[in-house]
Amino acid sequence: ELKVEQNPLFLSMQEGKNYTIYCNYSTTSDRLYWYRQDPGKSLESLFVLLSNGAVKQEGRLMASLDTKARLSTLHITAAVHDLSATYFCAVGSIYNNNDMRFGAGTRLTVKP
Amino acid sequence: SQTIHQWPATLVQPVGSPLSLECTVEGTSNPNLYWYRQAAGRGLQLLFYSVGIGQISSEVPQNLSASRPQDRQFILSSKKLLLSDSGFYLCAWRAQGRDTEAFFGQGTRLTVV
């Protein structure tokens, strides 16, 4: 069974600091997705990573994928308050194209 | 462009009452459709997915059911709600294929009282 683990689950950081969120998964996969959720809202797609070594960047966020280590990272550079949200990673199963499993989410709070 | 509609946005229902949540997608054909549930402060639990009309896969045993009567319509139902059914329900769609991402509806916040 495909399992996805994120850490940390809660992250409080000050503006201007850097930090990394980790996403580990249990079985072989080459498809990984990052989403953002604001409180009480739906999920917004951030990044789609489709190969080993894939790296994508948007503003202060950068995501990478290491399929051999079964690990993806979401790096935050010089955090700002607007980045406060919950971030989810999701992994696609190679055995079932229709299966997408989510991590528990990382609740990020950026303090001034 | 593709859009996904989910309603109602908020629902308060008594224990034992029925439930029907509806999700429709526009601008695409033959999408994969998903129902997820998110308990307060928790991650997403996959409830059902569908790859075509009348084709439903269930991920967890429970008192919920799903149906796909039309290509772009996905319905989540229950005959009798339990307190534990409270949560944030999200519908999502993906295009067919391995590399596509999921796009989510705005969600339904269900409170069972």
Side-chain angles (χ1 to χ4, degrees):
Chain A
E1 181 187 350
L2 176 58
K3 294 184 179 179
V4 183
E5 291 187 358
Q6 277 182 247
N7 70 84
L9 298 182
F10 298 93
L11 177 57
S12 180
M13 56 191 298
Q14 291 198 316
E15 283 190 329
K17 299 294 186 181
N18 305 331
Y19 209 84
T20 300
I21 299 171
Y22 297 89
C23 175
N24 293 89
Y25 52 95
S26 60
T27 64
T28 303
S29 177
D30 57 357
R31 296 172 290 141
L32 192 129
Y33 311 86
W34 283 97
Y35 289 85
R36 167 180 172 147
Q37 184 181 37
D38 291 305
K41 302 295 184 182
S42 187
L43 276 72
E44 172 191 357
S45 178
L46 292 176
F47 301 109
V48 179
L49 304 168
L50 299 176
S51 61
N52 184 41
V55 177
K56 291 197 174 179
Q57 183 167 3
E58 179 73 32
R60 301 175 187 273
L61 300 177
M62 183 174 70
S64 65
L65 177 62
D66 182 344
T67 58
K68 294 181 180 178
R70 299 178 184 172
L71 170 69
S72 178
T73 61
L74 180 65
H75 187 72
I76 303 157
T77 302
V80 293
H81 179 69
D82 286 351
L83 289 179
S84 296
T86 300
Y87 293 86
F88 290 94
C89 65
V91 180
S93 170
I94 63 168
Y95 304 108
N96 182 347
N97 289 343
N98 307 302
D99 195 356
M100 177 186 283
R101 302 284 170 160
F102 282 78
T106 297
R107 187 177 298 179
L108 171 66
T109 303
V110 181
K111 299 179 177 179
Chain B
S1 64
Q2 301 87 4
T3 56
I4 179 168
H5 303 281
Q6 187 182 339
W7 68 94
T10 306
L11 192 58
V12 180
Q13 291 284 99
V15 169
S17 64
L19 172 73
S20 181
L21 303 181
E22 189 163 343
C23 172
T24 60
V25 181
E26 296 177 356
T28 187
S29 301
N30 198 27
N32 290 339
L33 296 172
Y34 303 81
W35 279 111
Y36 288 89
R37 177 170 61 197
Q38 185 178 29
R42 306 289 295 275
L44 274 71
Q45 178 187 30
L46 178 61
L47 301 176
F48 301 95
Y49 69 87
S50 172
V51 300
I53 296 175
Q55 301 179 62
I56 308 294
S57 295
S58 174
E59 289 297 307
V60 291
Q62 57 206 335
N63 68 320
L64 299 173
S65 62
S67 62
R68 184 170 177 173
Q70 300 180 42
D71 180 45
R72 290 170 287 180
Q73 183 185 28
F74 205 23
I75 298 172
L76 182 69
S77 303
S78 174
K79 292 182 179 179
K80 289 185 177 181
L81 285 169
L82 306 173
L83 286 174
S84 57
D85 292 324
S86 294
F88 191 44
Y89 288 82
L90 288 157
C91 179
W93 77 272
R94 290 173 68 199
Q96 295 284 346
R98 295 188 66 247
D99 299 337
T100 57
E101 65 199 286
F103 297 93
F104 285 82
Q106 290 306 298
T108 296
R109 187 161 306 282
L110 171 66
T111 304
V112 183
V113 297

